[in-house]
Amino acid sequence: MISGGAGYIGTHTAVELVGAGFGVVIIDDFSNSDAAAVEGVRRITGVDVPFEQVDTCNEEALRAVFRKYEFDSVIHFAAFKAVGESVSEPLKYYRNNLASFMNICALMREFGRPNILFSSSATVYGEPDALPVTEQSPRQPATSPYGNTKQMAEDILRDCCAAYDGLRGIALRYFNPVGAHPSALIGELPRGVPQNLVPYITQTAAGIRECLSVFGSDYPTPDGTCLRDYIDIVDLARAHVAAVKRMTGGRMKAGYEIFNVGTGRPVSVLELVEGFEKANGLKLNYKIVGRRAGDVPAVWADTDLANRELGWKAERSLEETLRSAWAWEKHVRGME
Ligand code: UFG
């Protein structure tokens, strides 16, 4: 069962799971997505993937889903994710992101379902003392309620796995997910002005935004712009398949594990912009402006543990990824 399965990462994960032979049920409340996303999953897979419109915070409605479907694993994506909004509306974030996850954990226990995969984030590392970050790198105090909900949910999962017999948990810490499915039938669809770099770039290329602002060029990095680890969305989705297989295939006893999901390759904002221009043969209108509050200069993943234990590795090139991002934007805008 995939909660938040109509979202950006959820849809891509559903496609890869179906492709790997898993039966999947998607639930979503459509608070940040719509039925077209589920249709995209069905079109790509050719499978009439079951869907239930349910708010994961509604325990009774969620219980009905547990009664109706016999899944043994949950991937929990359903959450709000706008960092800035979480600062102005902390209760909205704590209530939604934590209540929903506690409902999932409680119902897994109630129904004796063993496997929980939680969607965490590299945001838990804050501004790291050493790079790349390993799963042992200390978590830093969260700088936003959003980041705090990721840390708190990780702890909830860890404690539940320690306390409740037979419960297995994996937290995947994503770096920066980008790109879209090669079919261009699913992808990231931010509502309003995009906060993240790649959707802002593709919307600028499409003429919806006038100009990309590059936030800061005076960071202590080779070209002065921030370094991030941009992970292709299909590669990221496949990490979930590997993690589910680990939980269902007898390789993991009870307990709790954490894996970084990134490429291990730092890329600057300017490199990403230039990579986008080159991959798609176009020029992007951009200007350098001041730093954005809260940005860390650099963070990228040590991926050894995931490579070794999950038998998973990022495969798509940045060029392919940035081509897929543009193909998706053109599809959404009817530009083909
Ligand atoms: N950036 C720009 N211009 C923009 C948008 C972003 O220059 O219009 C820059 C940012 O300053 C940053 C880089 O592009 O250097 C990446 O920014 P994103 O907003 O795409 O991604 P972040 O690394 O800031 O955010 C991601 C996730 C969050 C998570 C955060 C912290 O999207 O969910 O990492 O780990 F909280």
Side-chain angles (χ1 to χ4, degrees):
M1 190 269 270
I2 306 180
S3 78
Y8 175 42
I9 307 178
T11 46
H12 289 82
T13 299
V15 165
E16 295 306 312
L17 280 168
V18 171
F22 286 93
V24 167
V25 51
I26 291 176
I27 70 170
D28 205 294
D29 66 354
F30 289 151
S31 61
N32 193 24
S33 60
D34 56 42
V38 180
E39 271 321 302
V41 172
R42 290 175 175 156
R43 275 187 66 190
I44 294 168
T45 58
V47 173
D48 195 19
V49 176
F51 171 79
E52 304 285 341
Q53 187 167 349
V54 168
D55 176 352
T56 321
C57 290
N58 180 338
E59 192 180 350
E60 256 328 295
L62 193 57
R63 185 174 283 108
V65 174
F66 274 75
R67 284 209 188 93
K68 185 167 171 187
Y69 300 93
E70 295 253 323
F71 49 83
D72 55 8
S73 307
V74 163
I75 306 181
H76 180 65
F77 293 111
F80 295 148
K81 60 165 190 172
V83 179
E85 185 191 45
S86 81
V87 175
S88 51
E89 299 238 36
L91 281 176
K92 177 174 170 183
Y93 276 68
Y94 287 118
R95 191 175 280 142
N96 184 65
N97 293 7
L98 297 180
S100 62
F101 190 52
M102 287 189 282
N103 282 342
I104 293 277
C105 293
L107 287 163
M108 291 299 276
R109 186 176 176 226
E110 183 179 321
F111 283 78
R113 313 279 173 89
N115 308 316
I116 303 177
L117 184 46
F118 174 65
S119 188
S120 191
S121 166
T123 194
V124 302
Y125 296 117
E127 190 169 341
D129 295 327
L131 289 161
V133 287
T134 74
E135 291 77 358
Q136 265 70 53
S137 300
R139 295 189 320 190
Q140 307 280 355
T143 54
S144 71
Y146 159 78
N148 212 14
T149 66
K150 291 297 177 193
Q151 299 206 4
M152 292 165 91
E154 283 191 352
D155 293 345
I156 289 167
L157 183 56
R158 179 200 62 204
D159 294 346
C160 287
C161 292
Y164 304 137
D165 277 350
L167 197 63
R168 277 183 284 264
I170 291 182
L172 297 182
R173 290 177 177 162
Y174 313 144
F175 284 71
N176 290 58
V178 292
H181 192 266
S183 67
L185 291 172
I186 53 174
E188 186 172 14
L189 203 53
R191 289 184 177 166
V193 181
Q195 305 299 309
N196 296 115
L197 180 60
V198 170
Y200 208 103
I201 287 176
T202 56
Q203 290 198 10
T204 304
I208 298 158
R209 310 284 155 205
E210 212 173 292
C211 181
L212 168 76
S213 296
V214 172
F215 298 135
S217 61
D218 58 350
Y219 285 99
T221 59
D223 68 14
T225 65
C226 293
L227 297 172
R228 293 288 183 275
D229 185 334
Y230 296 95
I231 171 79
D232 182 89
I233 189 68
V234 174
D235 281 332
L236 175 66
R238 289 180 180 158
H240 294 77
V241 176
V244 169
K245 283 184 175 167
R246 182 177 178 83
M247 291 196 290
T248 55
R251 281 201 296 139
M252 183 180 171
K253 307 232 175 316
Y256 170 64
E257 297 179 338
I258 299 167
F259 296 100
N260 284 343
V261 185
T263 65
R265 171 189 61 201
V267 172
S268 77
V269 176
L270 286 181
E271 281 172 332
L272 195 97
V273 168
E274 281 155 21
F276 181 83
E277 292 180 326
K278 189 156 164 267
N280 296 299
L282 43 80
K283 280 278 158 211
L284 196 77
N285 197 16
Y286 74 88
K287 61 173 188 271
I288 310 258
V289 301
R291 293 183 177 195
R292 179 171 74 175
D295 277 340
V296 301
V299 59
W300 70 93
D302 183 316
T303 62
D304 281 357
L305 191 69
N307 297 163
R308 204 173 56 239
E309 293 296 323
L310 295 179
W312 165 90
K313 204 173 182 332
E315 284 169 4
R316 280 174 102 192
S317 68
L318 188 60
E319 191 177 345
E320 275 176 278
T321 303
L322 294 174
R323 249 190 260 127
S324 74
W326 179 227
W328 162 248
E329 185 72 53
K330 285 192 290 185
H331 171 79
V332 171
R333 309 297 161 193
M335 289 168 69
E336 286 113 319

